[in-house]
Structure formats: structure tokens, C-alpha cells
Amino acid sequence: MTQRQAQIAEAPKPAVHVREFELLLCTARTVPDTARIHALVREGIHWRTFFDLASEHGLRLLVYQSLRATCWDDVPPDIQSEWQQASQILTRRNLFLTRELLRINAAFQSADIFLAFMKGPIVAEMCYGDFALREFADLDLLIREADFSRAVELLERIGYERPWKHSNSKMLSFLKNVGEYAVSSDALQTAIDLHWRVATKATALSPRLGDFPSGFHPVPIAGSSVLSFAPQDLPLYLAAQGGWDRWSDLRRICDLAEFIRAYPVIEWEPNLQAARRLGGLRSMLTGLSLASQLLGAELPETVADHIQRDPIVARLAEEAIRHLQGHASASEAISRYLFQLRAKEGRRGKIALACSILMDRTAKDATWIMLPRPLWWLYGLLRPMRMSGKFLRRL
């Protein structure tokens, strides 16, 4: 390590890590910005801060590949060692979860239950070309609502436990508009989110299965194949996921940017029309704007035109960037729902979304207290009490 590297490594962390964040954006790509990376490294990087940023944003695997290809010799040996160890651990975890994905898929096929996969390894394979380049901690399964009870029972038979002892029909009804139910296995140290909706109704862009016209296609992975969204429909799904996080998860923006790089001739108009019909076009455009601004994705002209015509998209993107840089002020839940309301288009759409935010029951409601079914309407009134209690516990 040179004297300059030693000084940078030992320097106190700056209050605002602008240079480190920019380096993260230049390396969180399958095609890194080599020239800018070298310029930033010459200016000086606090490598401990940079490693922590990559870890915080769940991008260590992708950034590690970029560093190895561009400036690995400039990284201090202790950070190199820590990064290599993290990469090995994360890669083993990805391999394990991918094997588990294939085991679950085989069990569902044997039981003749429809199953498709979302997020994690599937998005990594389709957008990055390698399921080992994206960090993921759990598996996301998509089923038909009518198959919910059979799916939960099957998962229990193969080693997973459900968090509540209430009947499957009761929990399906309780979480109907959220569209997600979690099971886990302590033995496998694995969690599964079982979905029958692509996104909760309390999201500005909340497509249902019927909104994906191409249906589900086989995706090759680890020598086998599983069902997932067809590539031409994937932008609608990616936008729904990123929008739910108000685009504050940099991995979601990376997913969208890498999709654009992987599928440069995709037909965008059907996705834009679907998002507009659902009242969530603004949410999709915000993610696309961020993919271009932050990660250098080359937007199709029709997409760029839509972004330029809506000034609210620019403001939502600026808000997301502030949050990514650690400047958010509102609470997680409040800022998330404020984004949804601002991103939703049309007065009726905003009213319906506000009703979903206030009244739809969530898994946290069920964990807090399970009221008798005739009193479920009270959750919308009691939620402020639950949130207040959560806030007070933090004080």
C-alpha cells in the first residue's frame, strides 16, 4: 500500500461521502465507468466508508466485480481481504438459495400447483446475466390466489413454518390486498415471501397477474428452468417493486438499468400504456429517470420524452436521490406512502390509494393484535396507535 493509500485509509470519515457515493454509482454496473472510477480513485477514496456503502446498499457482489476489472490494486489490502471474504460468503448463499429455489419448484410441479418466481436470483439471471452478481436474502414465490392454502401446506411439508396458527383461509382474507404471506425455515435459515399479488394495493403502481399480457415464460437458471415474467413484461414488474420502495433501494434502480442494457430493443410502449392505465406511470418514469441519471442507462427516446413532459417525475427523482444519499427526514412508512400518493395519477386514483393505505390490513397488524373478523374494519383506526407505540419504543 502506498503512503497516499495509507493516509486515505486512516483518514477520519467525512460527514458527507459524496465521492464514495459517486464511486458506488460508477461501479454498481455490469459495464463500469472506468475513466470516472480512475479519476475518483486519484482524488482519494475512504475505502472503509466505500465498503460500508456497498454493503448498506446490497451491492458488494456487483461492485466487487467492477473493482476487480478496474482498480483493484488501488484498494487497501485489508479492504481487499474483507471484500473477498464477503464475496465468497454471499456467493455461497446465492448458490444455496438457488438450489432451494429449484427444490421448491420441483415440489410445486409434482403437486401440480402453478408457481412462478420473482426478485432475487431470477432478476439477477435475466438482467445481469448471472445470478451470482446480485445480493438477495430470501425467495419470492408467485402463486394464484386460489392455490394459497395448498401452497402453504406444501411449503410446510417440505420444511417451512408459517408465523401464525390461524387458518389459511383466514390469513388469505386478512392479507388479501397486501397479497403477501411469509414463511420461514430455521433449519435452512431461509425465508420465503409467498405472493398472490405482484405488489400491494397501497402502491401507486400495483399490477395484477392479468396485467402481464405475455404470461410467464421459462427462465434458464443453474442448469434447469423456472417460470417468471417474459422479458418484454419485466419493466412493469421492476417498476412496481422499485416504486414500492419509493426508489430508495439502489438495487432496484440497478435492476432497471441492467434490464435496459440487457434488452436494448424492448418494446416500451406496452409497458408505458399499462402503467398509465393503472395510474402509476409517474412511478415507473421516476425509476427510469434514476437509472439514466445515476447509472448511465441509455433511455429510449419515447421514455425520455415522457419524463421531460412531467415535472413531478423530476421532483420525485430528486427526493429519491436525497434518500439514497442518507438525507431523508421523514419516517420510513410516512415517506413511502407520501411518495405513493404523489406518484399516483388522477384524483380518483389518489383517493382509492389513500383508502388502501389507511384501511388495508397488513402482516404487522396481525402480529400486533388479531381482532375477531367482524372487527377488522377497526385496523384503519387502530393503526395510528400501533405506529405511535412503535415510535415511542424508539425514544
Side-chain angles (χ1 to χ4, degrees):
M1 180 166 51
T2 67
Q3 183 177 3
R4 173 61 175 159
Q5 290 172 340
Q7 290 173 345
I8 294 170
E10 295 297 327
K13 293 185 180 182
V16 179
H17 316 301
V18 176
R19 194 178 297 141
E20 286 74 18
F21 184 72
E22 186 178 352
L23 183 60
L24 181 67
L25 298 179
C26 292
T27 52
R29 317 176 184 190
T30 54
V31 183
D33 187 343
T34 303
R36 187 58 185 148
I37 289 170
H38 286 305
L40 288 166
V41 171
R42 284 194 299 271
E43 293 172 14
I45 294 297
H46 191 288
W47 288 102
R48 166 55 56 191
T49 296
F50 180 66
F51 178 85
D52 291 345
L53 270 177
S55 178
E56 176 187 339
H57 288 280
L59 293 168
R60 284 168 291 181
L61 290 171
L62 186 58
V63 172
Y64 176 67
Q65 175 179 264
S66 294
L67 292 176
R68 297 284 304 194
T70 57
C71 63
W72 189 241
D73 290 341
D74 295 302
V75 180
D78 60 325
I79 301 296
Q80 284 187 358
S81 177
E82 190 168 351
W83 219 307
Q84 288 169 328
Q85 184 179 15
S87 177
Q88 291 170 0
I89 293 171
L90 291 168
T91 299
R92 286 197 295 268
R93 182 63 179 169
N94 279 11
L95 287 169
F96 170 79
L97 286 173
T98 302
R99 287 196 298 268
E100 183 64 6
L101 176 153
L102 296 176
R103 183 178 81 94
I104 293 168
N105 188 59
F108 273 73
Q109 285 183 335
S110 296
D112 196 25
I113 302 174
F114 169 82
L115 179 67
F117 289 87
M118 312 190 301
K119 300 185 184 178
I122 299 303
V123 167
E125 191 69 30
M126 296 179 73
C127 297
Y128 300 77
D130 186 348
F131 66 84
L133 284 182
R134 189 186 189 280
E135 293 186 34
F136 48 91
D138 56 14
L139 296 174
D140 289 82
L141 282 54
L142 183 62
I143 61 168
R144 296 189 179 98
E145 185 175 331
D147 292 329
F148 175 77
S149 291
R150 292 178 64 209
V152 173
E153 291 166 2
L154 174 57
L155 288 169
E156 287 185 296
R157 288 199 298 272
I158 63 175
Y160 288 87
E161 297 179 358
R162 50 197 176 107
W164 297 289
K165 298 306 178 184
H166 309 294
S167 70
N168 289 330
S169 60
K170 183 175 185 178
M171 291 313 302
L172 176 64
S173 180
F174 190 87
L175 299 172
K176 187 176 183 64
N177 289 337
V178 173
E180 180 180 337
Y181 185 82
V183 299
S184 62
S185 169
D186 290 338
L188 298 172
Q189 295 186 332
T190 302
I192 289 175
D193 288 332
L194 189 63
H195 300 259
W196 57 96
R197 291 185 63 96
V198 173
T200 170
K201 281 188 69 177
T203 309
L205 181 58
S206 180
R208 301 182 70 101
L209 298 189
D211 293 313
F212 296 88
S214 303
F216 295 89
H217 289 212
V219 176
I221 184 167
S224 186
S225 67
V226 299
L227 290 179
S228 190
F229 301 102
Q232 59 265 33
D233 294 344
L234 199 57
L236 186 62
Y237 165 71
L238 294 176
Q241 292 298 309
W244 169 240
D245 290 322
R246 69 194 184 285
W247 297 107
S248 64
D249 185 339
L250 189 54
R251 286 177 304 173
R252 306 286 190 213
I253 305 172
C254 287
D255 293 344
L256 200 49
E258 292 305 322
F259 172 83
I260 294 169
R261 280 189 263 272
Y263 301 93
V265 295
I266 196 76
E267 284 288 336
W268 279 94
E269 196 55 39
N271 289 281
L272 297 173
Q273 289 177 0
R276 183 186 295 109
R277 186 183 71 252
L278 294 166
L281 178 59
R282 198 170 277 157
S283 183
M284 174 183 280
L285 294 177
T286 299
L288 289 166
S289 176
L290 291 166
S292 175
Q293 290 183 61
L294 300 181
L295 299 168
E298 188 173 343
L299 298 180
E301 187 175 342
T302 180
V303 172
D305 288 345
H306 276 88
I307 291 172
Q308 290 174 2
R309 288 199 297 266
D310 190 342
I312 295 178
V313 170
R315 292 198 289 271
L316 291 174
E318 289 172 5
E319 178 184 310
I321 291 172
R322 287 197 299 271
H323 194 278
L324 287 166
Q325 293 175 332
H327 301 310
S329 57
S331 73
E332 179 79 12
I334 292 173
S335 57
R336 168 177 283 163
Y337 291 129
L338 286 176
F339 174 92
Q340 307 307 330
L341 289 169
R342 292 171 65 195
K344 192 71 173 180
E345 297 165 69
R347 181 175 297 179
R348 289 184 180 180
K350 288 181 183 293
I351 292 173
L353 177 61
C355 289
S356 289
I357 291 171
L358 293 172
M359 302 305 296
D360 285 353
R361 299 172 296 273
T362 69
K364 290 182 179 179
D365 290 327
T367 301
W368 181 55
I369 184 173
M370 176 57 80
L371 296 173
R373 191 184 295 255
L375 300 180
W376 282 359
W377 61 273
L378 283 172
Y379 280 105
L381 303 176
L382 294 174
R383 188 169 296 125
M385 185 186 302
R386 174 173 67 79
M387 297 300 293
S388 298
K390 182 178 179 181
F391 176 75
L392 290 172
R393 286 194 296 272
R394 291 180 176 178
L395 297 180

